[in-house]
Amino acid sequence: MGPKLKTDRRLKLKMRVWIFFLICLAGTTLAAPTEEEPVVEEETFVEGEPIVEEEPVVEEEPEVGANPVQVETGEFDEAIEIVEDFIAENPCLNHHCKKGKVCEVDDSNQPMCVCQDPLTCPAPVGEFEHICGTDNKTYESSCHFFATKCALEGTKKGHKLHLDYIGPCKLIAPCLNNELNEFPLRMRDWLKNVLVALFERDEENNLLTEKQKLRVKKIYENEKRLEAGEHSLDLLALDFEKNYNMYIYPVHWQFGQLDQHPIDGFLSHTELAPLRAPLIPMEHCTTSFFEHCDADKDKYIALEEWANCFGIKEQDIDNDLVI
Ligand SMILES: *[C@@H]1O[C@H](CO)[C@@H](O)[C@H](O)[C@H]1NC(C)=O
Ligand SMILES: [Ca+2]
Ligand SMILES: [Ca+2]
């Protein structure tokens, strides 16, 4: 009943949350692998990108012009006609604005994107919608965050402000060197477990492609596989040594999941955000880990850097495994 057990429990809980999260992530990405449109979550966490980048995007249709009250007073024919004309002509209906902006029509009836007033953001349902910015300020929701960031556009402060993690800002303990070394051990094991879990529930869902299934099947059927569960760091390290081959594919697979916008063999801050932002509050070494992964400090994590971070040997790094 010592502190050891407590730590294990905490790790186990973290692991569950993590696996759940990764499955969701895999679900979203795999569900729409060919679509041009970026996955919404990824767009939410615009991080470290230059302001000039005006990524076109992604929200639901702006709800402009369809005033339900007007539509429902439909007994008055005139009213209906006016509403319909308005809808047909509203140039904002098909005009998408990036996060933090909304569409407005200017004097010559042209749609344009303007900064959203944070006061018009929906009230957050709970603390889990809060966002911690890199200014260590808590924002009520990502809508509030991006609206605020938009208002600062063009300023140095706005340029430096990014979404750091999900949840209210809190004290994040510094990551000690030995903790930093443990991080990839656990993450590697999680990645393998996530893939196996996807494989197990794949029959109806088609979460994995045939090619991916074939690779995971080998891991799944290997009797020497370390089953998902609480394992000491020593055991994880030993298993990595003994069953090294089982870890090669999961590491590549996760890279492919993240390298989507664009698919270029490099992970930008934005591409990493879906993994980073939910993880930081649970794993205080996340930021250090990804910083340290970017060995050449060019702000992108290349496949080689990524694989290296997880202890995959250079001769086993294979672009063809990223599918
Ligand atoms: C960030 O804010 C939290 C909560 O207000 C505080 O506990 C923490 O010390 C702050 N961190 C830094 C680095 O200032
Ligand atoms: Ca990329
Ligand atoms: Ca790099």
Side-chain angles (χ1 to χ4, degrees), residues 136 169-171:
N136 201 35
C169 296
K170 58 180 191 178
L171 183 63

Side-chain angles (χ1 to χ4, degrees), residues 48-211:
E49 294 291 301
I51 288 179
V52 282
E53 192 187 69
E54 183 86 357
E55 283 252 309
V57 191
V58 161
E59 302 263 5
E60 302 95 307
E61 298 284 321
E63 286 176 18
V64 189
N67 182 339
V69 182
Q70 269 175 307
V71 175
E72 273 167 25
T73 52
E75 275 142 48
F76 307 96
D77 287 341
E78 278 170 4
I80 287 179
E81 263 163 46
I82 289 166
V83 170
E84 281 176 347
D85 281 351
F86 187 42
I87 289 173
E89 280 171 19
N90 190 333
C92 269
L93 278 182
N94 287 313
H95 193 78
H96 296 275
C97 296
K98 71 168 185 176
K99 289 261 173 201
K101 294 193 170 192
V102 287
C103 181
E104 271 180 18
V105 180
D106 70 6
D107 294 342
S108 50
N109 208 31
Q110 290 302 305
M112 55 176 189
C113 294
V114 297
C115 286
Q116 180 170 11
D117 179 350
L119 294 173
T120 64
C121 287
V125 178
E127 274 212 339
F128 61 87
E129 282 195 39
H130 291 0
I131 289 295
C132 183
T134 45
D135 54 356
N136 201 35
K137 270 199 198 141
T138 301
Y139 295 83
E140 285 187 60
S141 69
S142 63
C143 174
H144 291 84
F145 173 81
F146 285 108
T148 308
K149 183 169 162 65
C150 184
L152 292 171
E153 215 163 79
T155 67
K156 206 172 167 194
K157 202 171 157 198
H159 186 64
K160 282 205 305 208
L161 179 61
H162 301 294
L163 190 157
D164 199 13
Y165 54 89
I166 293 172
C169 296
K170 58 180 191 178
L171 183 63
I172 296 202
C175 174
L176 305 176
N177 270 341
N178 63 320
E179 295 173 316
L180 187 59
N181 294 336
E182 293 166 2
F183 189 87
L185 254 66
R186 288 185 282 126
M187 189 153 157
R188 212 159 41 200
D189 189 51
W190 288 327
L191 292 178
K192 177 171 60 73
N193 295 333
V194 165
L195 261 183
V196 169
L198 281 177
F199 179 79
E200 280 175 323
R201 54 180 86 171
D202 202 29
E203 277 163 39
E204 62 280 12
N205 287 332
N206 273 329
L207 297 168
L208 298 172
T209 65
E210 290 306 314
K211 240 176 164 177

Side-chain angles (χ1 to χ4, degrees), residues 159-302:
H159 186 64
K160 282 205 305 208
L161 179 61
H162 301 294
L163 190 157
D164 199 13
Y165 54 89
I166 293 172
C169 296
K170 58 180 191 178
L171 183 63
I172 296 202
C175 174
L176 305 176
N177 270 341
N178 63 320
E179 295 173 316
L180 187 59
N181 294 336
E182 293 166 2
F183 189 87
L185 254 66
R186 288 185 282 126
M187 189 153 157
R188 212 159 41 200
D189 189 51
W190 288 327
L191 292 178
K192 177 171 60 73
N193 295 333
V194 165
L195 261 183
V196 169
L198 281 177
F199 179 79
E200 280 175 323
R201 54 180 86 171
D202 202 29
E203 277 163 39
E204 62 280 12
N205 287 332
N206 273 329
L207 297 168
L208 298 172
T209 65
E210 290 306 314
K211 240 176 164 177
Q212 290 173 325
K213 271 187 221 170
L214 226 62
R215 295 201 182 274
V216 185
K217 194 161 178 265
K218 278 193 207 147
I219 303 172
Y220 177 73
E221 286 174 351
N222 194 318
E223 279 166 14
K224 287 191 247 149
R225 172 169 64 93
L226 188 63
E227 300 279 340
E230 290 176 48
H231 301 300
S232 70
L233 293 166
D234 289 344
L235 183 57
L236 290 177
L238 186 69
D239 189 61
F240 183 63
E241 236 173 75
K242 277 189 359 200
N243 295 318
Y244 167 76
N245 282 329
M246 284 188 222
Y247 292 90
I248 299 175
Y249 181 61
V251 169
H252 283 79
W253 170 78
Q254 179 64 69
F255 187 89
Q257 293 295 296
L258 296 171
D259 182 20
Q260 297 285 330
H261 311 294
I263 304 177
D264 58 1
F266 293 93
L267 301 181
S268 64
H269 281 267
T270 311
E271 287 175 309
L272 261 183
L275 188 61
R276 242 178 67 103
L279 199 56
I280 292 175
M282 296 190 284
E283 291 279 357
H284 67 285
C285 283
T286 308
T287 303
S288 309
F289 176 74
F290 288 123
E291 270 169 19
H292 149 93
C293 268
D294 177 19
D296 64 3
K297 303 286 169 228
D298 69 346
K299 305 257 188 242
Y300 289 89
I301 298 182

